[in-house]
Amino acid sequence: MVLLSTKTVEQSTSSPDADRTVHLIVGNILFFTNCLCTSLYVILSKRLLLIYDPLYVTAWSYNIAAIFMAITALLASSSTPVMSFLCPDCASTWGIPSGAFFALFYFIVFNSVAVYAILTWANQYATGTLVMGYSVLQPVTAAFLTFVLLMIGMFPRCSAAVIGDNNNVGSSNAACLDPPGLGAICGMVGVFAGLILVITTEPKSEECGNVLKYNKVMDDKFDSDTALQT
C-alpha cells in the first residue's frame, strides 16, 4: 500500500484536478480494502468465538493489528512523498493538532475499542451477514447527525462559511458541514431497503443455535482427533 501511494504521488503532480482524481481513486481503494478486511474479520472470528470469549478474541486481534499498524506507520512516515499524499497540510509527521485530541480520543475509545468489542460479541450470536448489515447504517447516522447539528446551529453550512470568508466575516478554514443532498437521501432509502431484506431472510434463532452446536461438536471432534494423532 505504501509503494502504491508513492508511485501514485509521483504520477499525480500534473494538475490539481488530476491530484483530486488520484486521491478519489486511492481513497475508494482503501475504503474497499477496509470493508473487505472487516468482513473477513467477522467471518474468520466465528470459529474462534466457539472456543474463546469475545473480549479475548478482540484483545488478541488488536494486539496483532497494532504490530502491523506500527510497521505501516513507520514505513509511511519515513517517506516524504507518501506523507505529502496522505496529509499534505500536516505541519509535522508525528504532530497532532490540539483541536484533534478529543476526536482522536473518541475514535480510539468508542469507534475502535468499543465498536469492535460489541461487534465481536454480536458475531457470537448472530450471522456474519446480519452483523455486517448494520454497519451500512454508519453513513445514514452521519447524515442524520449532520442535519441535527446544522439545525441547532452548532456548525455553519460550508456555503455560508465561504460567503462569510469572502466578506471578511468568517473563515473558510473554520469547521463547517454540508447538509445531506438528494443523493444521500436516496442512498438512505436503499440502505434501509437492503437492511430489511437482510433481516427478513435471516435464519431463525433455533437454526442458528443448531449450527453453533454442530460447529462446537465438530471442533471438539477435531481437537480429539488431533490429540490422538499426537
Side-chain angles (χ1 to χ4, degrees):
M1 196 66 67
V2 174
L3 296 177
L4 172 65
S5 300
T6 305
K7 184 177 180 181
T8 304
V9 173
E10 294 174 350
Q11 296 176 349
S12 61
T13 56
S14 56
S15 66
D17 291 337
D19 289 341
R20 283 193 292 269
T21 302
V22 171
H23 278 77
L24 179 63
I25 294 174
V26 175
N28 279 277
I29 292 175
L30 295 177
F31 181 71
F32 173 79
T33 305
N34 170 68
C35 295
L36 176 63
C37 293
T38 305
S39 300
L40 290 175
Y41 169 79
V42 172
I43 295 173
L44 297 178
S45 62
K46 277 287 188 181
R47 189 178 185 88
L48 295 175
L49 291 173
L50 297 173
I51 306 173
Y52 304 105
D53 293 331
L55 190 60
Y56 184 87
V57 175
T58 305
W60 270 106
S61 300
Y62 261 75
N63 287 330
I64 297 173
I67 297 174
F68 286 98
M69 290 183 66
I71 296 174
T72 304
L74 291 174
L75 292 176
S77 62
S78 62
S79 174
T80 302
V82 172
M83 290 306 302
S84 300
F85 178 79
L86 295 177
C87 188
D89 56 346
C90 290
S92 62
T93 302
W94 296 99
I96 301 176
S98 58
F101 279 107
F102 176 77
L104 187 61
F105 172 82
Y106 177 86
F107 179 84
I108 293 174
V109 176
F110 296 99
N111 200 44
S112 186
V113 177
V115 164
Y116 273 89
I118 296 173
L119 184 144
T120 309
W121 175 84
N123 194 30
Q124 189 178 23
Y125 301 100
T127 63
T129 304
L130 184 61
V131 172
M132 292 306 302
Y134 274 96
S135 65
V136 299
L137 290 178
Q138 294 181 25
V140 176
T141 307
F144 175 76
L145 290 178
T146 299
F147 178 77
V148 172
L149 293 176
L150 288 173
M151 289 296 295
I152 64 178
M154 182 173 293
F155 289 92
R157 293 174 180 261
C158 290
S159 57
V162 173
I163 295 175
D165 178 68
N166 294 333
N167 295 332
N168 295 324
V169 176
S171 173
S172 59
N173 293 325
C176 61
L177 295 174
D178 282 320
L182 179 61
I185 296 175
C186 294
M188 293 179 192
V189 176
V191 166
F192 281 112
L195 189 58
I196 290 174
L197 291 176
V198 170
I199 295 175
T200 54
T201 56
E202 278 293 291
K204 297 180 180 180
S205 58
E206 294 82 1
E207 296 176 357
C208 292
N210 293 332
V211 172
L212 291 176
K213 292 178 180 178
Y214 174 78
N215 290 336
K216 179 64 174 176
V217 171
M218 294 302 295
D219 279 343
D220 293 340
K221 184 178 183 300
F222 176 79
D223 293 339
S224 300
D225 294 341
T226 304
L228 291 176
Q229 292 176 2
T230 57

